[in-house]
Amino acid sequence: MRYQYLDARLRHAFDDAKLDRGQRALLQGVLRALDPDAHLGEHVAGLNSAFLAVTRAQVALESHAVEDQPRWNLLRRIITTSLACVDAAKPAYVHGGAGELARARRVLLGVDAAIAADGQRLDPQVTAAAAAKLDPRALGDAVKRWITPLWNGIELPLRARMIAEVAVVVAVHGRDGRQLRADLLRWLKKPGDLEEVLWPEPRRHVVALVVRGARVLRHLDELLPEARQEPLHRNRLPKDDFLKDAVNGSSVLVRLPVNAADTHTAALRGRRILNEVLDQYAAGERLTELHVAPVWQVSGPGGRVTRGTEHRRTVGNAYPLTAYWPAELRSAMRVANLARQVDAPMASAGLAWSALEATGLDPSKIAWLAKACALQMLRQHLISLHVLVINHDDELRRPLAAQVPTTGVKHHLRSVDAWLEVLVRNNRPNEQLAAAQEALAALAEDEGGLVQDLVELWQGRLADSKVLAGWLREQEDTAAAVLEWLYVTRNLAFHAGRFVSPADTLTAHAGQAVADLTLEFLGNWRTVERQRSRQETSSVEIYRRLAQRQDQLVARLKRAGSVRRLSVEDISGPDEKWWSRGKS
């Protein structure tokens, strides 16, 4: 089952522990946000977070003070997008950290005013002083205290916003989603302090990894004083040794200590440390290819040994983005694929920006792409919700399937608008629609927790067009913050030579997700144009048209009072059908 935060084992554990809906939603919401398969609007890397916004702003201010990078005008855009995220998160911080958030906001406003007044003459001492005043850790500590009110009960939609912020703080602490799920299953059998499960104290792990391409790494003890190595010979390993398949020619086993909150995070950090050390050897041995094998072994603090392999998803049938070569997207697809293959997070994020740049994007057009992403995320969220709702119980979903037909074993939607019709409240539904809506309510109640929360959240957003307009604007602001930060990360990595930054793994994931999202709607646009024998529209023109469409949609929603005409089927495609549902 793909969605492990909804599987039967976890559900039975919730039942046995007698968790209520809000408690289930908290645990499932955090696990979903840490799921690498979650799309941009669900994963921690794409959530609107004041903690993450202040962290990014502090990094940008510190870097500007020392290296004049990012430049003053880009720095101001980072401050502006950070302020938008801080303001959106303000309601959640009523439950803790309101003072710390207000102080961070005052610092950001002060920097913004200084940049507006001084421009390129901005004194580095001003940005250095502002960076010193920002305290993301204080915000993170405040978020950790939200567990008690969340566990005792917070109403929607505030609960969803608070859970998202909690998930970001958990991710930045260094928690692997699969490991957290296993730890929660143990905790549910004997509940204690949930904070200790979400944010355990980092402890010493010893990570063992295989480097292919050399039998000995000379001077490793000087580069990594605590690391130990031993040459590996394939014919000298026991037949059942886990390293058997990893040894290919000249290989060396390297053991190094890593402080981490869990085993999988230790393995990831160990791989990153070793890859950075291999940069030294690659520079010294220019004709030799050195790389780390996918297998790993971690010895935990208590001596428990865990073995695993770097996760790689596979599919039965792989499909291209389009069934032909769109010339303008070839470079973008090539660089986006490279971004996924690079281990170094900041380099991966920089390549993700380069992939977007290959489509014709430049910093002055970030606002256009952010609006386009908001439209596509609306469609993605609705499709994702349908997948979660029909994830189980064939009997309950039968009336829903009659109204919302699907195709294939994975139940792909034939029409997103048919699903939208079920989510939107209707005073006089026909018999089939009424049965589908009753089935939806039954499915949501049966699943409970996160699924029930999401159904009610979307029913609420679709019940008030002004609320949906506000949601679209927030997605736009969040996407703009991610895109601006990607550009900063690219400059820090490729111009300033900086390859480590707080939350850089989240930045890399966000960069890949934005590139994938963008290629998705660009590929669909091109496919439709080719089917109709139309001349291809340039990517930049697509960004401009979708940005204009998003502005028009938000304006229409603010004055319409209803979403009954909203259509999301082709909302990011070449046809202007976004306000055509229900037309005769």
Side-chain angles (χ1 to χ4, degrees), residues 382 417-427 429 433 437 440 458-464 468 562-566 581:
L382 292 174
D417 283 347
W419 170 231
L420 180 63
E421 191 74 28
V422 175
L423 290 169
V424 176
R425 296 190 182 107
N426 193 312
N427 293 330
L433 177 58
Q437 291 178 331
L440 172 60
W458 277 104
Q459 286 175 332
R461 288 166 185 156
L462 297 169
D464 187 334
L468 184 60
S562 167
V563 300
R564 66 181 183 276
R565 297 283 297 279
L566 173 66
R581 189 166 57 93

Side-chain angles (χ1 to χ4, degrees), residues 232-308:
L232 292 174
H233 301 268
R234 184 178 179 84
N235 57 1
R236 296 181 190 175
L237 293 170
K239 290 183 179 180
D240 61 346
D241 197 289
F242 87 105
L243 296 175
K244 196 74 176 177
D245 293 332
V247 178
N248 183 8
S250 295
S251 302
V252 56
L253 179 67
V254 178
R255 291 186 176 91
L256 63 156
V258 174
N259 283 331
D262 60 50
T263 298
H264 287 83
T265 302
L268 184 66
R269 289 182 178 174
R271 178 176 297 277
R272 179 171 178 176
I273 291 168
L274 189 54
N275 270 314
E276 289 173 0
V277 169
L278 289 184
D279 292 341
Q280 272 270 28
Y281 292 92
E285 296 285 346
R286 63 184 181 84
L287 300 181
T288 301
E289 183 179 341
L290 299 169
H291 64 275
V292 182
V295 299
W296 51 264
Q297 175 179 286
V298 177
S299 300
R304 181 181 178 182
V305 175
T306 305
R307 293 169 177 170

Side-chain angles (χ1 to χ4, degrees), residues 17-54:
K18 295 180 171 56
L19 300 193
D20 63 28
R21 172 181 162 183
Q23 292 164 350
R24 293 171 188 242
L26 168 60
L27 302 184
Q28 290 175 321
V30 172
L31 289 175
R32 180 180 75 151
L34 297 181
D35 186 344
D37 291 332
H39 67 71
L40 181 64
E42 297 173 343
H43 192 271
V44 281
L47 296 177
N48 198 344
S49 164
F51 168 76
L52 196 55
V54 172

Side-chain angles (χ1 to χ4, degrees), residues 38 140 227 232 299 369 406 509 555 579:
L232 292 174
S299 300
L369 181 53
T406 58
H509 188 103
W579 202 251

